[in-house]
Amino acid sequence: MSQNGLHFTDTRFGRLAYRVDGQRGGVPLVLLQRFRGTLDDWDPAFVSALAAHRQVIRFDNAGIGGSSGQVPDSIEGMAEVAAAFIDALELTKVDLLGWSLGGTVAQQVALDRPQLVRRLVIAGSSPGGITDGPQAHPRVPEVMTRPVNSDEDFLFLFFTETDTGRAAGKASLARLGALHDRVPDVTKESFLRQVKALTQWKGTRARLGELKLPVLVANGTSDVMLPAYRSYVISQEAPNAKLILYPDAGHGFLFQEIEDFAGQVTRFLE
C-alpha cells in the first residue's frame, strides 16, 4: 500500500510507514531515526547522497509519524519493531544506520538478530552505561522535551554556535522546511514514552564485544547531547569498529558534512 510516496506494511505492532529511495539491488540500507524524529526529518540532501549508490529505506517506528500502534517504552521493544518491519518487507539481510536514539536501537537489533544485519553505522549515539567523560550540556533535558522545538532549539541541539555550524544548521532547516506531504509530528505522549525508554535502558556496553560485524561509528566533536566520548567507547569496545569525528560539528554532523559522511558510509558499506 502506498500514498504520495509513503508506503505501509503491516506488522504485529501495527501498520508501519516507510519511504524508499534509490535503486533496488544489493543489500538495502535501513535508517533508524533520532528522538522525536520522523521519517521526514532526515535531511533530504543526506538521503539523496546515500541513495545515489544503494536502496535506502527510512521508516517510522510504532506510534511515530505515519505509523500506527504505540511507541514502545523500551529500547528492546523498539528493536523488536524494527526487526519486525524488516521481516515484513521480506528482507533477509540489511545494513543499518542508526542516528542518536536510532543508534541505540540499531545496536540492539544487531545484537538480537545478528544474522539479519550485515554492517552497522552508529551516528551520534551511545552504548549506555557511561558515567565518566564529558556529559550532556545542562540545558539539553529542558530544551529537548519542550512541547514544540523552535529553530533556535534545533540549532542549539544539533549544531555548533560557530558561524560555520549555524550556517549549516540553517541550511538543513531550509531543506527540511521545503518538504511537502510530511507525516505528522511526534506527539507529546509518544516522545514521553521515548524518554522512558532512554532513561530505563541498561545499555549495550557489556555486550559490545559481541558485535563481530563491521561497525562505523561517527559523531561531531561538539555534540551537546551525546558527547563524542561515547562514540569513542563504542569504537574501542566493539572488535571491528572504525571511528570518525568531525571538528566544529555537533549532533547533526551528518547534515553538516553530508558529502564527506555519505561518502564514508558508502565506502564502508561497499
Side-chain angles (χ1 to χ4, degrees):
M1 177 181 175
S2 64
Q3 177 183 345
N4 295 328
L6 190 65
H7 304 276
F8 299 90
T9 189
D10 291 315
T11 72
R12 68 183 187 277
F13 300 102
R15 176 165 289 186
L16 304 183
Y18 67 102
R19 297 191 192 276
V20 181
D21 298 274
Q23 301 299 315
R24 291 184 178 273
V27 179
L29 174 63
V30 177
L31 306 185
L32 304 178
Q33 183 59 293
R34 62 169 171 85
F35 174 74
R36 291 187 75 172
T38 73
L39 56 80
D40 288 326
D41 287 312
W42 293 98
D43 190 312
F46 179 64
V47 174
S48 293
L50 293 175
H53 304 281
R54 63 179 51 246
Q55 186 179 68
V56 177
I57 303 171
R58 47 198 163 112
F59 80 105
D60 282 330
N61 208 291
I64 296 296
S67 293
S68 66
Q70 185 178 51
V71 175
D73 61 2
S74 70
I75 301 300
E76 293 82 358
M78 294 176 187
E80 286 186 31
V81 176
F85 167 75
I86 294 166
D87 290 341
L89 296 189
E90 299 182 347
L91 299 173
T92 57
K93 188 73 71 174
V94 298
D95 295 326
L96 293 182
L97 188 160
W99 176 31
S100 193
L101 168 63
T104 68
V105 177
Q107 291 172 65
Q108 198 67 51
V109 174
L111 288 167
D112 294 345
R113 296 281 300 275
Q115 74 284 0
L116 188 61
V117 184
R118 187 185 71 110
R119 295 198 170 204
L120 177 63
V121 182
I122 304 171
S125 195
S126 170
I130 297 177
T131 56
D132 61 328
Q135 299 300 305
H137 191 289
R139 286 184 57 213
V140 165
E142 183 260 328
V143 174
M144 69 186 289
T145 56
R146 287 174 178 165
V148 178
N149 282 135
S150 67
D151 285 358
E152 282 300 318
D153 290 341
F154 182 85
L155 293 174
F156 164 71
L157 292 171
F158 294 100
F159 297 88
T160 61
E161 296 181 350
T162 65
D163 290 343
T164 300
R166 287 185 64 84
K170 289 178 179 179
S172 183
L173 280 169
R175 291 189 294 268
L176 288 166
L179 294 174
H180 301 290
D181 299 320
R182 291 174 56 93
V183 298
D185 291 338
V186 178
T187 65
K188 182 178 180 180
E189 177 187 2
S190 293
F191 79 68
L192 288 177
R193 290 182 68 85
Q194 290 182 327
V195 170
K196 182 178 180 181
L198 284 167
T199 54
Q200 294 186 350
W201 185 48
K202 294 181 180 179
T204 60
R205 186 173 185 181
R207 300 183 62 192
L208 286 175
E210 298 175 37
L211 290 175
K212 307 297 185 184
L213 76 172
V215 180
L216 177 64
V217 191
N219 205 351
T221 57
S222 301
D223 189 334
V224 297
M225 287 197 279
L226 292 169
Y229 175 68
R230 302 179 190 199
S231 294
Y232 171 77
V233 169
I234 297 174
S235 74
Q236 293 297 294
E237 299 184 10
N240 194 10
K242 172 183 177 179
L243 175 66
I244 303 171
L245 295 177
Y246 289 93
D248 192 13
H251 200 63
F253 74 93
L254 62 176
F255 300 164
Q256 177 172 330
E257 302 293 345
I258 292 174
E259 182 178 351
D260 188 277
F261 184 56
Q264 294 278 0
V265 171
T266 297
R267 288 188 291 275
F268 170 72
L269 296 181
E270 289 178 345

